[in-house]
Amino acid sequence: MTQSNLTPEALPDTSLDTLLNTHFAGKVVRKDLTKLIKEGANVPVYVLEYLLGMYCASNDETVIQNGLVNVKRILTENYVRPDEAEKVKSKVRESGTYKVIDKVTVKLNEKRDVYEALLSNLGVKNAEISDTYVRQFEKLLVGGIWCIVTLKYHFEEDQKGSPFAVTELKPIQMPNMDMGALFEARKSFTDEQWIDALIRSTGMEPSHFKERVKWHLLARMVPLVENNYNFCELGPRGTGKSHIYEEISPNSILVSGGQTTVANLFYNMGARKVGLVGLWDVVAFDEVAGINFKDHDGVQIMKDYMASGSFSRGRESINASAAMVFVGNINQSVESLVKTSHLLAPFPEAMIDSAFFDRFHAYVPGWEIPKMRPEFFTNQYGLIVDYLAEYLREMRKQSFADAIDKFFKLGNNLNQRDTIAVRRTTSGLLKLVCPNGEYTKDSVRKCLEYALETRRRVKEQLKKIGGMEFYDVHFSYIDLEDGVERFVNVPEQSSGALVPEGRLQPGTLHTISMGSSEMPGIYRLEIQSIPGTGKANVSGVAPREAVRVAFDYFKANSSRVSASIKPGERDFHTHLVELQGTGAPQAFTLASFIAFCSAALGKPLQSQLAVMGDMSLGGTVVQVRNLAECMQVAFDAGAKRILLPMSSVTDIPTIPGELFAKFQTSFYSDPVDAVFKALGVE
């Protein structure tokens, strides 16, 4: 089959196939073969491709077809399907020895002082296994690994253990890895071709994805190349978030269901054994909403581990290098989450803690990745998953964190944690894109911009959860060559502001106040005025007492605002909308009084105005609580003008200068003055 008679549509980027077959001969596989067999056998991808790499590593169709026959035969004869377990056990008994492909987990039987293997699909629990294999492959003890196993059957009367024994065990993993050959082969690919080759190797077809989505798919691999990397991806269902950690790498483990213990994850003090973090390169948590530690100190130990890569249990301080990955679903639209809450809301209550989230190095926007469809899976060549996994594992020994310093300097808004996070992510992406360390300025820039964005996304959420402590979110980098500072934005933050541009209806205003949740939030108050007898009714989350006080003051003092206001001849309907889920506002009387005046006069307030402060029954103005945080909320919501009480002038030093400069600020001395300032009347 020649390339000349193929249209580009029929076979996307055939040049990449040629490159892969030329430079990685025997280490590539046609991914449609994997897909073809995968649908019929529930075996992990790396097991399948191990077999396909042995029998189908060729671009000769005849060889491939013969190889497929062999692979199917091996899977039919040796792969244990759970429903056929008894039949396979019988075969072992009848023939004395038999080869099976299964997942093997080992435990120590202290009473008999022997190691016993559990074969998951076969259902054999206590098969004796030699100490040599256990010492050689420690992962057998934690979580287990897929192996080609030779089983022996020997039965005796009064036998204490199982008649089954493991005589031979071969893990389905690459026996060795020549990194020099990979580095050399990488030189023949451009950066774009290599990124496409990596995405193909995970089973996806890159020609169907935009460049930005390719970077998100690449970022999923960073935990596999970077030690102690903390990664988060939340997005809609069906975007393949957990696929890479479950299927692609035999070095990562997916903790599903959420329930876990400190002993399982970190250290079992009874058995004196290190948990998952000590034996796997990546520990991924699927469905973060369901993460639940049986131990009350679980989240705290996780926090310590994510910060330092070590944890203490009893007298022991233990180091480990596993990356922590958190993937989960966002059930509502990102736009509404950005406006009303934060993008880390799906995490369980126990984990919603700014110190915990501050340890995240990157947050990938899963909502930008399309839901997986059949055409997104490739039919072209890619690296055997096992070879890919070993290459990723070997790259954990390297570090490219200093690559940034050759060309760029980080902006002054990044604190120590931000800097570490950005360096880690940049290093991880460079290990993937330029494993041979031959990176250009442009390669580093792309990785750096992506790293700054994914860390800033974490910081933006922290600002909403933890307030002013995380004010510095304007991340930038400086090009050492031309000295130009470039800022990096987070796309979803710029989506529609809560305070719209232009003037609102008379009687409508936005106010910032501490809510019942003790977090500052923004509220929209709408008051409608209709002919009536001087009544006020309330709906929404508006505190009724505050509205009553404001209405009484309005009836008593409206003549000071305008003689045309006749409170006894109008009825007023008050409705309050809580825009950020912070609970009922604590300061609301003054905002209600301004809105009553605006509705009665039929005059709108100044555009993009946020009102702050409160008043007592007698009209005494009360200063703003947590002024700096409230102003930050106002800025994030899109307000351009703010109205402050004079008494809050003393708190202005607590506000960062560049934040204060973002607003056109007016000060009022009493409630009537506040009305004039809000209406823009001099």
Side-chain angles (χ1 to χ4, degrees):
M1 195 163 66
T2 59
Q3 285 185 18
S4 56
N5 60 1
L6 290 169
T7 60
E9 290 81 16
L11 212 66
D13 196 6
T14 50
S15 60
L16 193 55
D17 282 353
T18 312
L19 276 169
L20 283 166
N21 272 302
T22 309
H23 298 285
F24 292 99
K27 298 182 184 74
V28 289
V29 67
R30 241 179 48 206
K31 295 290 172 175
D32 58 333
L33 304 179
T34 310
K35 207 163 50 179
L36 191 75
I37 301 180
K38 175 81 180 135
E39 285 161 5
N42 190 19
V43 214
V45 172
Y46 47 87
V47 174
L48 262 185
E49 293 197 354
Y50 176 85
L51 297 169
L52 288 168
M54 280 170 67
Y55 296 102
C56 303
S58 167
N59 48 7
D60 182 332
E61 201 60 39
T62 320
V63 173
I64 288 174
Q65 289 308 323
N66 292 337
L68 275 177
V69 171
N70 280 329
V71 171
K72 283 178 179 171
R73 180 179 55 77
I74 290 167
L75 284 173
T76 307
E77 290 178 8
N78 304 110
Y79 172 68
V80 182
R81 283 176 40 185
D83 57 334
E84 292 184 348
E86 293 306 316
K87 188 171 113 183
V88 175
K89 282 184 196 171
S90 160
K91 281 186 180 174
V92 181
R93 180 179 180 268
E94 296 310 316
S95 54
T97 63
Y98 193 72
K99 224 177 234 180
V100 296
I101 298 172
D102 204 344
K103 189 175 184 183
V104 182
T105 316
V106 172
K107 65 174 194 316
L108 176 65
N109 183 334
E110 296 96 338
K111 289 178 182 168
R112 294 183 56 226
D113 190 29
V114 291
Y115 286 106
E116 293 176 343
L118 161 70
L119 283 80
S120 301
N121 287 1
L122 191 59
V124 169
K125 284 186 179 167
N126 311 340
E128 208 166 299
I129 182 169
S130 160
D131 307 15
T132 319
Y133 294 124
V134 178
R135 280 197 292 274
Q136 215 173 336
F137 312 110
E138 277 194 335
K139 275 189 193 164
L140 287 166
L141 294 162
V142 180
I145 46 180
W146 281 85
C147 306
I148 298 174
V149 181
T150 305
L151 281 177
K152 185 174 86 174
Y153 186 89
H154 179 67
F155 181 79
E156 284 177 4
E157 291 285 334
D158 304 324
Q159 193 171 12
K160 290 201 175 145
S162 164
F164 291 99
V166 173
T167 56
E168 207 178 315
L169 179 140
K170 188 179 179 187
I172 294 181
Q173 282 172 326
M174 294 286 295
N176 55 11
M177 183 77 192
D178 182 357
M179 290 303 283
L182 184 135
F183 295 159
E184 193 57 40
R186 166 65 184 89
K187 291 176 184 172
S188 307
F189 295 73
T190 64
D191 282 6
E192 285 72 25
Q193 282 175 326
W194 185 248
I195 291 171
D196 284 1
L198 287 177
I199 293 170
R200 279 233 192 124
S201 303
T202 65
M204 303 293 163
E205 178 45 65
S207 58
H208 286 294
F209 299 116
K210 295 176 182 155
E211 189 181 6
R212 189 163 161 78
V213 176
K214 288 184 191 179
W215 278 90
H216 297 332
L217 296 174
L218 205 61
R220 287 176 175 175
M221 295 188 222
V222 172
L224 293 161
V225 294
E226 202 59 33
N227 291 319
N228 299 109
Y229 187 76
N230 307 320
F231 173 93
C232 169
E233 183 189 338
L234 303 179
R237 289 172 174 79
T239 56
K241 293 185 287 289
S242 55
H243 167 74
I244 202 155
Y245 311 111
E246 191 173 26
E247 296 277 7
I248 300 303
S249 175
N251 307 317
S252 65
I253 188 164
L254 190 72
V255 180
S256 345
Q259 182 86 339
T260 186
T261 62
V262 171
N264 176 40
L265 203 55
F266 296 104
Y267 190 75
N268 187 328
M269 289 175 71
R272 294 191 171 276
K273 278 186 189 158
V274 177
L276 300 176
V277 295
L279 289 129
W280 296 88
D281 291 350
V282 175
V283 177
F285 292 89
D286 200 7
E287 304 297 345
V288 292
I291 297 176
N292 177 23
F293 274 100
K294 286 184 179 171
D295 323 66
H296 62 275
D297 58 347
V299 174
Q300 191 54 50
I301 293 173
M302 192 182 264
K303 261 195 303 201
D304 292 349
Y305 172 73
M306 285 163 72
S308 62
S310 63
F311 52 92
S312 301
R313 294 295 286 154
R315 293 181 184 175
E316 309 245 5
S317 178
I318 297 140
N319 292 311
S321 63
M324 298 293 247
V325 171
F326 300 88
V327 294
N329 300 322
I330 286 180
N331 296 324
Q332 57 199 105
S333 78
V334 170
E335 287 75 19
S336 68
L337 266 182
V338 167
K339 287 180 185 178
T340 60
S341 175
H342 54 83
L343 293 172
L344 292 163
F347 276 84
E349 189 88 13
M351 286 185 165
I352 299 216
D353 168 14
S354 54
F356 174 70
F357 292 136
D358 198 15
R359 287 152 166 80
F360 284 7
H361 296 129
Y363 181 159
V364 167
W367 52 88
E368 291 184 13
I369 300 170
K371 289 197 172 197
M372 292 301 152
R373 298 202 303 270
E375 63 266 29
F376 290 170
F377 295 95
T378 189
N379 293 332
Q380 309 304 113
Y381 283 89
L383 296 173
I384 295 172
V385 160
D386 211 35
Y387 182 76
L388 174 74
E390 279 307 303
Y391 143 54
L392 298 178
R393 187 167 210 199
E394 281 295 315
M395 289 312 294
R396 292 173 84 87
K397 297 170 187 173
Q398 314 269 348
S399 175
F400 294 166
D402 57 345
I404 299 172
D405 305 328
K406 292 182 184 172
F407 309 105
F408 308 104
K409 189 165 98 182
L410 295 173
N412 60 2
N413 258 10
L414 282 85
N415 63 26
Q416 182 61 16
R417 275 215 172 122
D418 301 330
T419 306
I420 290 170
V422 167
R423 286 187 180 279
R424 287 276 184 86
T425 308
T426 308
S427 169
L429 288 167
L430 282 172
K431 286 180 193 181
L432 292 164
V433 180
C434 311
N436 47 4
E438 294 175 16
Y439 36 77
T440 60
K441 183 177 177 180
D442 194 47
S443 307
V444 177
R445 183 194 304 275
K446 281 180 182 169
C447 296
L448 174 60
E449 284 183 351
Y450 189 85
L452 283 162
E453 184 208 306
T454 50
R455 173 63 188 175
R456 180 172 172 179
R457 186 168 290 109
V458 174
K459 207 72 184 283
E460 288 280 2
Q461 312 323 309
L462 286 172
K463 191 172 73 176
K464 292 183 178 180
I465 299 167
M468 285 314 290
E469 185 188 346
F470 303 100
Y471 162 71
D472 301 327
V473 294
H474 298 289
F475 286 6
S476 61
Y477 66 93
I478 298 152
D479 191 322
L480 293 177
E481 207 172 310
D482 57 15
V484 175
E485 186 169 14
R486 292 177 175 84
F487 286 85
V488 173
N489 291 319
V490 189
E492 67 273 6
Q493 283 304 127
S494 57
S495 59
L498 290 170
V499 180
E501 290 181 21
R503 291 209 168 198
L504 302 166
Q505 293 290 323
T508 302
L509 65 73
H510 290 92
T511 180
I512 312 281
S513 160
M514 298 299 287
S516 56
S517 63
E518 288 299 318
M519 289 293 289
I522 184 162
Y523 302 85
R524 186 169 69 244
L525 173 60
E526 299 166 358
I527 295 185
Q528 279 185 327
S529 161
I530 51 172
T533 56
K535 294 193 193 77
N537 54 29
V538 182
S539 64
V541 292
R544 282 167 168 69
E545 186 63 23
V547 176
R548 191 183 61 75
V549 169
F551 193 58
D552 290 349
Y553 189 86
F554 166 68
K555 287 192 290 191
N557 294 275
S558 58
S559 57
R560 291 171 57 198
V561 176
S562 172
S564 66
I565 299 177
K566 304 280 191 291
E569 296 175 8
R570 316 275 308 165
D571 284 347
F572 297 87
H573 182 82
T574 306
H575 182 71
L576 182 69
V577 183
E578 143 194 38
L579 294 173
Q580 290 183 314
T582 42
Q586 295 179 9
F588 189 62
T589 310
L590 180 98
S592 302
F593 172 64
I594 297 172
F596 278 128
C597 295
S598 165
L601 288 164
K603 283 190 174 175
L605 304 189
Q606 295 195 67
S607 68
Q608 293 183 286
L609 174 75
V611 174
M612 295 188 205
D614 206 6
M615 61 183 261
S616 67
L617 178 61
T620 308
V621 170
V622 180
Q623 72 183 87
V624 182
R625 271 185 65 203
N626 294 22
L627 179 60
E629 291 189 16
C630 288
M631 286 194 70
Q632 184 63 59
V633 168
F635 175 67
D636 291 341
K640 295 287 191 299
R641 292 184 171 89
I642 48 168
L643 192 58
L644 290 177
M646 278 296 209
S647 51
S648 288
V649 168
T650 51
D651 292 335
I652 287 174
T654 65
I655 305 164
E658 57 190 272
L659 177 61
F660 193 72
K662 297 275 194 276
F663 298 100
Q664 198 177 316
T665 310
S666 305
F667 294 95
Y668 58 89
S669 52
D670 64 56
V672 174
D673 183 30
V675 173
F676 291 141
K677 296 275 175 57
L679 293 169
V681 178
E682 293 302 321

